[in-house]
Amino acid sequence: MRIVCPFCGERELGEFTYLGDAKPQRPAADAGEDAVYDYVYLRDNIAGVMSEHWYHGGGCRSWLKITRNTLTHEISAVEPAAGAGAAKVGA
Amino acid sequence: MVEFSWVVRSPLEHALVAGPYGASGEAGVSLTEIRNFDLIQVMARRGKATEVATAAKARLGVAAPETPKAVQTSDAALIWSGPDQFLVLSKGGKHAINQLSQAFASSASLSDQSHARALISISGAKARAVLAKLSSIDLHPDAFPVGAAAATSMDHTSVTLWRGDDGLNGQAVFNVLVFATFAESLWHTMLDSAAEYGVAISHSEEF
Ligand SMILES: [Zn+2]
């Protein structure tokens, strides 16, 4: 499997680390225990297209958001995760 | 109070034995460690990309690379090391941390890497064949011309790799920056990879 890093170009899988589902959003401070439990522990086991976080630790050290089909490994989109390349974001 | 005495020495001081290595005959590969350099990491702060570009231009005379490239000036190399960040490689103290920090004071965070990395230069007719065993990057001249750079891994070790100006004999020169504590390990791997072609090992203060 190869991943096209938006900063580095096409690289082998060995340069990347898989984090997991990119969907969960940190709940608000007053959201309650169930919401936090869900955010920290509960994950869908998706067979199909999934949004994932990957880390290009063996390369540019950027976090990436990757859309991957877990059945075929086909990658349909790669984009920088929030914060990567932030110097170009408005101050 | 304990008195420390810091002796500046190369991380490859023990591993590097100058002279021929591996197959006899004309060396197919030259492995040269470059010693005594200034290396500063410049990381643009949030929203400060334009300011960093302006500061780089004013202080170093060239725009900082925004894609995986290395830009050579008369007295420094600016090497892309990731989004919004680059390394300034030079010698003689002109672009050391104290000299650069003023220029980037309002736009970037600087970190002195001068003694944190080892710099290895690989050249010779078989240089690409040696690196092909260690790197998954396509180093064919069509894909990796002079000035190309990559933040990548060799032998599971993070490196900054770039192709410098060709040598006097017209052959490609590849440069590898590796973390000091991994340098000895990568050096031995490089020697293993290069042995069959015959290696000329040296160290130098020039680059
Ligand atoms: Zn990358």
Side-chain angles (χ1 to χ4, degrees), chain A residues 4-91:
Chain A
V4 182
C5 172
F7 302 112
C8 300
E10 188 178 353
R11 293 298 175 83
E12 56 160 327
L13 180 63
E15 289 192 1
F16 299 87
T17 313
Y18 178 72
L19 176 79
D21 198 340
K23 282 269 163 59
Q25 298 285 316
R26 190 186 185 87
D30 59 356
E33 204 173 309
D34 285 353
V36 174
Y37 182 81
D38 192 322
Y39 170 68
V40 174
Y41 294 109
L42 301 185
R43 292 292 178 270
D44 296 330
N45 190 13
I46 295 165
V49 176
M50 182 175 176
S51 181
E52 304 171 327
H53 276 134
W54 287 75
Y55 178 55
H56 194 189
C60 66
R61 303 189 300 277
S62 292
W63 282 97
L64 305 173
K65 205 165 110 180
I66 291 181
T67 309
R68 182 177 69 104
N69 188 319
T70 60
L71 296 173
T72 63
H73 294 311
E74 185 200 345
I75 290 172
S76 53
V78 184
E79 57 183 285
K88 291 186 184 61
V89 179

Side-chain angles (χ1 to χ4, degrees), chain B residues 115-196:
Chain B
H115 298 160
R117 313 281 180 106
L119 175 56
I120 302 168
S121 175
I122 303 119
S123 60
K126 292 292 181 184
R128 193 147 63 85
V130 170
L131 291 171
K133 298 187 201 173
L134 307 174
S135 170
S136 58
I137 305 273
D138 183 358
L139 297 176
H140 187 278
D142 290 347
F144 206 80
V146 169
T152 184
S153 296
M154 285 184 184
D155 197 36
H156 309 281
T157 304
S158 282
V159 297
T160 305
L161 165 73
W162 77 100
R163 189 171 154 193
D165 290 336
D166 288 344
L168 293 174
N169 54 10
Q171 284 174 342
V173 179
F174 298 95
N175 298 298
V176 172
L177 274 170
V178 56
F179 292 117
T181 48
F182 290 85
E184 215 173 290
S185 165
L186 187 61
W187 177 260
H188 287 304
T189 307
M190 278 184 178
L191 283 184
D192 289 347
S193 172
E196 65 169 302

Side-chain angles (χ1 to χ4, degrees), chain B residues 80-101:
Chain B
W80 185 91
S81 61
D84 306 326
Q85 52 175 278
F86 58 96
L87 294 156
V88 181
L89 174 69
S90 65
K91 56 180 291 184
K94 191 179 168 194
H95 303 301
I97 187 119
N98 289 336
Q99 281 61 42
L100 289 187
S101 56

